[in-house]
Amino acid sequence: MLISQVTSLQSIPDMAVDPSAPSEAVEPIAQRNDSLPDINALFAPIRPGLRQVEAKLRAVDSTLFAPLAEAFLTLIGSGGKRLRPALALLSAEFNGPMQGSARYQAVIALAASVEMLHTATLVHDDVIDGALLRRGAPTLNARWSGVSTVLAGNYLFGTAAHFSAETGNMRVIRLFSDTLHTIVDGELRQLKDRYNFSQPRENYYQRIYAKTASLFCAATQGAAILSQLPEERINDLRQFGYNFGMAFQIIDDILDFTGDDETLGKPAGSDLHQGTLTLPFFHYLQQHPDPERLLETLEEAQREADSGNQAIWDETIAALVHDLRNSPAVEAAREEARLFLSRAVENLSALPDNAYRNSLLGLCEFVVKRTY
């Protein structure tokens, strides 16, 4: 089942299909063992570059007034996994060595731009969601007014754009602009679909491409452009970013149901509680013996919440989360993530067999096994 194209945006990559459809060419990625790959070891070939990206990000605070600088350094310090800049740095090394070359600073600028753009989207997400915690720490939204937090996010968007301009490559700058357009479109679509329990599953794939995978595409495609790879290999790395990013978000959405407050930094089922439907829910609905009654129950509970009876909604979601996390829906969603990652592995097959490709392959395994 093809996902319909998003009008007026850059096209979703060719692999944007319903991964539950049969595929003869691609098998789900195999589980080699139960251990989680060491992400620090996978980042080892690009560690000097990551240090430069980190320094570039942290240097921004010197241009800010004190309250924003403090908040920004807290955001950067929480860090996450730095997957997006890592993918950019790794993807740049398939057409001769970039590290140590005069062109490497353009790759550093690209890597910093995608991470800064990601950070800016988190700030705005927290305003939209009314989130007070992220990774267990207070958000800007918890400490500042909504207007101030939006302006802080806008500043970070501007800084990300400045970094992209530092690449000096008009194609990369246009890619950054298209990606920002796509991300905002995804946010608008998510707002439109909130509490729409009858929406088609295709809406989910469009949304996570726009909000998540598009930024991974920008990292890998942009780096391939800067390293002057042939167009076919540039497309391979864009497709890799797409498939990797889709799998990453699906695993995130699984963890939203299966994690706990300590690992998530928020209650399990938070997305569903806020009316955002994710892949585990769609599988749960598909497998439910009476899906129409389930939808009616959710709609009734939401009407009660709108009337001021929030407790009914909270209880309904808590019961659904309990049932879902113990249902086959979790493994069904995980199998889709594995299929996307198998496609990502296939996207790398024509690239040189070097340490950077090995790290990209290892990150595929890391993503599907991660618990945080």
Side-chain angles (χ1 to χ4, degrees):
M1 181 188 305
L2 292 176
I3 296 178
S4 57
Q5 296 292 320
V6 181
T7 57
S8 76
L9 299 179
Q10 60 181 351
S11 295
I12 293 178
D14 297 337
M15 283 288 194
V17 297
D18 181 346
S20 62
S23 173
E24 296 179 1
V26 183
E27 293 295 330
I29 192 168
Q31 293 278 24
R32 299 179 195 171
N33 52 59
D34 292 332
S35 62
L36 185 69
D38 182 357
I39 196 168
N40 290 319
L42 296 175
F43 285 176
I46 51 159
R47 184 61 61 190
L50 282 174
R51 283 196 288 266
Q52 291 184 60
V53 172
E54 199 75 21
K56 191 173 186 66
L57 293 171
R58 290 180 178 277
V60 171
D61 80 287
S62 64
T63 68
L64 304 177
F65 76 101
L68 182 53
E70 179 185 357
F72 173 70
L73 287 177
T74 300
L75 280 170
I76 293 298
S78 64
K81 291 167 281 294
R82 295 288 190 258
L83 274 175
R84 294 156 191 83
L87 289 183
L89 297 176
L90 290 167
S91 297
E93 299 290 349
F94 292 108
N95 194 25
M98 286 287 278
Q99 293 190 66
S101 73
R103 295 182 294 154
Y104 197 52
Q105 288 310 305
V107 180
I108 297 298
L110 168 68
S113 75
V114 294
E115 186 68 2
M116 186 66 77
L117 179 52
H118 171 59
T119 303
T121 63
L122 296 183
V123 172
H124 279 186
D125 278 352
D126 290 339
V127 176
I128 293 168
D129 296 340
L132 303 181
L133 290 174
R134 181 175 287 277
R135 301 190 187 108
T139 62
L140 286 187
N141 194 51
R143 292 179 284 167
W144 293 5
S145 70
V147 172
S148 297
T149 306
V150 168
L151 290 174
N154 290 350
Y155 188 95
L156 301 184
F157 277 120
T159 304
H162 179 80
F163 286 160
S164 77
E166 286 183 8
T167 65
N169 185 297
M170 281 305 302
R171 186 174 173 186
V172 170
I173 295 167
R174 285 194 296 269
L175 175 62
F176 177 92
S177 174
D178 289 344
T179 302
L180 179 55
H181 188 182
T182 301
I183 289 170
V184 174
D185 180 87
E187 289 285 4
L188 290 170
R189 288 171 183 270
Q190 178 166 306
L191 284 172
K192 172 180 170 291
D193 281 340
R194 273 190 171 174
Y195 303 107
N196 176 11
F197 301 111
S198 300
Q199 66 184 269
R201 191 190 298 189
E202 285 83 355
N203 288 19
Y204 170 77
Y205 298 119
Q206 288 181 331
R207 187 169 67 244
I208 68 169
Y209 163 68
K211 290 193 59 183
T212 301
S214 66
L215 194 47
F216 285 97
C217 289
T220 55
Q221 182 183 3
I225 292 168
L226 292 174
S227 65
Q228 300 176 357
L229 278 169
E231 284 302 317
E232 193 173 0
R233 301 290 81 80
I234 291 173
N235 187 59
D236 285 342
L237 281 165
R238 173 170 172 77
Q239 292 287 342
F240 172 84
Y242 167 76
N243 286 310
F244 185 95
M246 295 292 280
F248 180 88
Q249 187 58 54
I250 289 170
I251 295 296
D252 245 20
D253 294 338
I254 292 170
L255 293 175
D256 184 63
F257 284 104
T258 62
D260 54 35
D261 289 12
E262 184 176 350
T263 56
L264 294 174
K266 59 182 181 179
S270 291
D271 288 338
L272 184 58
H273 193 275
Q274 293 168 350
T276 299
L277 308 188
T278 59
L279 189 58
F281 172 82
F282 284 110
H283 278 293
Y284 179 76
L285 181 64
Q286 181 180 342
Q287 298 163 1
H288 198 275
D290 191 354
E292 291 186 3
R293 179 55 192 154
L294 174 61
L295 293 178
E296 290 173 2
T297 299
L298 287 167
E299 289 165 357
E300 290 169 7
Q302 181 53 31
R303 284 194 293 271
E304 288 288 333
D306 288 342
S307 300
N309 191 353
Q310 185 66 32
I312 293 293
W313 175 250
D314 294 344
E315 291 167 6
T316 300
I317 295 303
L320 194 156
V321 169
H322 178 271
D323 289 345
L324 189 153
R325 70 194 305 173
N326 295 297
S327 76
V330 170
E331 184 55 30
R334 195 179 301 278
E335 190 67 8
E336 288 202 25
R338 293 191 190 111
L339 184 50
F340 273 115
L341 288 170
S342 291
R343 289 172 175 157
V345 168
E346 184 179 312
N347 297 144
L348 299 177
S349 61
L351 291 165
D353 184 4
N354 58 22
Y356 307 103
R357 191 177 82 160
N358 288 338
S359 287
L360 290 174
L361 291 170
L363 286 172
C364 290
E365 188 177 359
F366 170 84
V367 162
V368 81
K369 292 181 178 178
R370 68 190 180 94
T371 57
Y372 62 94

